[in-house]
């Protein structure tokens, strides 16, 4: 009553109450509140769908539809209705209206995970059923999550990436059955190996359902193992019709460096645009390399045939952070991703002046250019 019906804090409170009702299975009470938040003027919320496919098994006995950590022997499809809420929505709208685009020179903050809510999850019998109510987009953005990630967290990260990119097409998610706990690392690696065939099935289904849509793919961490193995399987099919794949973005890949170069070489000539973001500040990649005894592709800068390798060391150097999510938390990297997907311009330093080329005997890679001001401060 004090704030009024259209205040952003009112919307945040209504959204929180709706989320509580949803978690309790009280969907009939949650839906009107979600609708009130969505209908609030001046950017109270922005609603958009995410199409998904997963080889996770449905959660038995859950109060709302969802998928857990157990593996399924079939691919499950569906659509999730997402809400971006709070002041961040209004800020995005104002920046677009002023012609500022996704990110301005001030390096505006990206969307916090708490600004993304799941309104509903609707399973579907197949890809066609999941996409039937949606217009055929010119482009889609498929996100493949990494280790230690639950299904709903994966949906939120997909929404965050698509929202911060201001992506004009259809966001999509492929979710594999991560155990969603730190000590499940070895089990997750096995699940990632198994999931490649299901990702191939998803890409084929998306290509068949949306034949004119260009499929851009972003994989994070261990999700790169799933993606690269799937692309290798597609390449081995030879002349068989392939999905219409555009840009492939490999963020902090938890993949053996030798295996990564092998896979990259096999994908040459397939027409893919491959971009790798790697960081020596990534503590998760250091730990993974220590456990396996071999350096990971996401933690070392090195040229690879057919890949634009970009060393983003220095863009996230928090002592208390693993620095494993720089790709989704830094405006410079996000701006580069947005320009890459929009234009496909190469080499990287032509589209993003913050990157400089580093020539070498085995080819070039690019790195974040660190400058020093007159006062001796690193910028």
């Amino acid at each position: 009553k004090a704030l009024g019906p259209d205040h952003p804090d009112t919307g945040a409170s209504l959204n929180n109450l709706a989320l509580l009702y949803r978690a309790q299975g009280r969907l009939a009470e949650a839906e009107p509140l979600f609708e009130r938040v969505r209908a609030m003027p001046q950017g109270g919320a922005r609603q958009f769908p995410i199409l998904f496919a997963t080889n996770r098994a449905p959660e038995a006995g859950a109060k709302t539809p969802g998928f857990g950590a157990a593996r399924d022997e079939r691919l499950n499809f569906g659509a999730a209705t997402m809400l971006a809420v709070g002041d961040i929505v209004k800020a995005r709208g104002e920046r677009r209206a002023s012609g500022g685009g996704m990110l301005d020179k001030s390096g505006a903050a990206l969307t916090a995970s708490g600004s993304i809510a799941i309104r509903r999850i609707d399973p579907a019998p197949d890809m066609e059923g999941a996409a039937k109510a949606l217009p055929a987009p010119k482009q889609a953005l498929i996100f493949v999550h990494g280790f230690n990630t639950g299904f709903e967290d994966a949906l939120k990260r997909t929404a965050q990436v698509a929202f911060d990119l201001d992506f004009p097409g259809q966001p999509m998610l492929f979710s594999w059955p991560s155990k969603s706990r730190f000590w499940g690392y070895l089990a997750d690696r096995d699940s990632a190996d198994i999931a490649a065939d299901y990702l191939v099935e998803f890409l084929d289904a998306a290509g068949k359902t949306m034949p004119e849509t260009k499929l851009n793919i972003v994989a994070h961490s261990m999700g790169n193992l799933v993606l690269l193995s799937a692309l290798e399987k597609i390449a081995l099919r030879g002349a068989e019709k392939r999905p219409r794949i555009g840009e492939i973005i490999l963020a902090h890949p938890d993949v053996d460096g030798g295996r990564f170069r092998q896979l990259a070489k096999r994908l040459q000539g397939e027409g893919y645009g491959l971009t790798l973001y790697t960081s020596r500040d990534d503590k998760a990649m250091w730990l993974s390399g220590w456990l396996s005894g071999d350096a990971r592709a996401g933690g070392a800068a090195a040229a690879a045939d057919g890949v634009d390798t970009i060393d983003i060391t220095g863009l996230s150097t928090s002592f208390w952070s693993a620095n494993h999510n720089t790709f989704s938390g830094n405006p410079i990297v996000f701006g580069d991703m947005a320009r890459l997907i929009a234009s496909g311009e190469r080499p990287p330093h032509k589209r993003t002046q913050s990157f400089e080329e580093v020539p070498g005997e085995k080819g070039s890679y690019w790195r974040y250019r660190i400058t020093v001001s007159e006062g001796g401060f690193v910028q």
Side-chain angles (χ1 to χ4, degrees):
K1 289 181 179 179
L3 296 175
D6 296 328
H7 193 281
D9 289 345
T10 300
S13 295
L14 291 173
N15 183 69
N16 289 339
L17 182 58
L19 291 174
L20 175 62
Y21 285 161
R22 178 179 173 271
Q24 294 174 331
R26 299 160 63 181
L27 300 182
E29 295 171 85
E31 276 298 304
L33 297 181
F34 279 130
E35 188 58 28
R36 278 184 62 187
V37 175
R38 191 192 66 82
M40 289 177 66
Q42 303 302 316
R46 179 181 167 190
Q47 178 173 296
F48 52 95
I50 292 177
L51 300 178
F52 67 81
T54 180
N55 65 315
R56 296 174 183 263
E59 286 188 304
K63 295 180 179 179
T64 58
F67 299 87
R71 300 170 188 163
D72 204 343
E73 294 187 358
R74 64 183 295 271
L75 193 59
N76 298 292
F77 295 89
T81 303
M82 311 297 294
L83 284 175
V85 298
D87 291 340
I88 193 74
V89 179
K90 186 175 181 180
R92 287 286 187 279
E94 290 173 349
R95 194 155 55 246
R96 284 193 297 271
S98 65
M102 183 196 71
L103 296 167
D104 57 24
K105 293 182 180 179
S106 65
L110 300 175
T111 303
S113 59
S115 299
I116 300 292
I118 300 171
R119 178 171 177 174
R120 59 184 300 128
I121 296 172
D122 297 302
D126 51 30
M127 185 68 194
E128 188 175 352
K132 65 180 180 180
L134 302 173
K138 292 182 179 179
Q139 293 197 78
L141 183 69
I142 300 173
F143 182 65
V144 185
H145 64 78
F147 155 70
N148 191 23
T149 304
F151 179 70
E152 293 203 356
D153 288 337
L155 281 173
K156 291 178 181 179
R157 177 54 62 88
T158 305
Q160 178 215 339
V161 170
F163 187 59
D164 283 338
L165 286 174
D166 214 3
F167 184 68
Q170 176 61 57
M172 301 169 72
L173 166 69
F174 176 76
S175 183
W176 52 278
S178 165
K179 291 294 185 184
S180 187
R181 60 175 183 263
F182 182 77
W183 297 112
Y185 183 82
L186 294 179
D188 274 13
R189 288 197 67 84
D190 289 340
S191 291
D193 282 333
I194 293 170
D197 284 344
Y198 294 98
L199 177 54
V200 172
E201 183 181 345
F202 176 40
L203 292 174
D204 285 341
K208 182 179 179 181
T209 303
M210 300 178 290
E212 302 303 318
T213 300
K214 184 167 71 172
L215 306 176
N216 302 290
I217 310 173
V218 177
H220 177 233
S221 188
M222 200 179 286
N224 286 273
L225 180 60
V226 183
L227 173 60
L228 290 170
S229 296
L231 293 176
E232 182 183 35
K233 291 175 183 292
I234 291 174
L236 291 174
R237 297 193 309 203
E240 187 175 342
K241 188 174 182 180
R242 297 168 183 167
R244 187 170 173 243
I245 296 176
E247 296 296 335
I248 296 173
I249 296 173
L250 313 169
H252 306 263
D254 187 2
V255 180
D256 177 89
R259 175 62 171 153
F260 178 84
R261 289 188 294 275
Q262 181 186 63
L263 289 168
K265 187 175 182 179
R266 288 184 180 176
L267 294 177
Q268 280 190 296
E270 296 298 309
Y272 303 142
L274 291 167
T275 301
L276 163 66
Y277 294 106
T278 182
S279 172
R280 286 172 282 114
D281 296 326
D282 191 331
K283 297 182 182 71
M285 291 298 91
W286 176 86
L287 179 58
S288 178
W290 179 78
L291 289 171
S292 64
D294 293 294
R296 318 312 283 172
D305 292 339
V307 180
D308 288 341
T309 299
I310 303 175
D311 180 5
I312 56 175
T313 301
L315 286 174
S316 180
T317 55
S318 170
F319 180 79
W320 300 109
S321 171
N323 299 319
H324 190 48
N325 294 303
T326 306
F327 86 102
S328 65
N330 185 277
I332 292 175
V333 182
F334 240 93
D336 185 63
M337 288 171 55
R339 287 184 285 275
L340 173 62
I341 292 172
S343 68
E345 184 179 16
R346 287 180 167 81
H349 65 269
K350 285 192 173 182
R351 65 174 183 263
T352 302
Q353 294 182 358
S354 299
F355 298 142
E356 62 182 0
E357 185 176 4
V358 182
E361 292 182 2
K362 296 183 179 181
S364 295
Y365 72 92
W366 287 260
R367 69 185 175 194
Y368 169 57
R369 181 188 293 111
I370 299 177
T371 59
V372 180
S373 67
E374 292 182 0
F377 295 101
V378 176
Q379 297 178 328

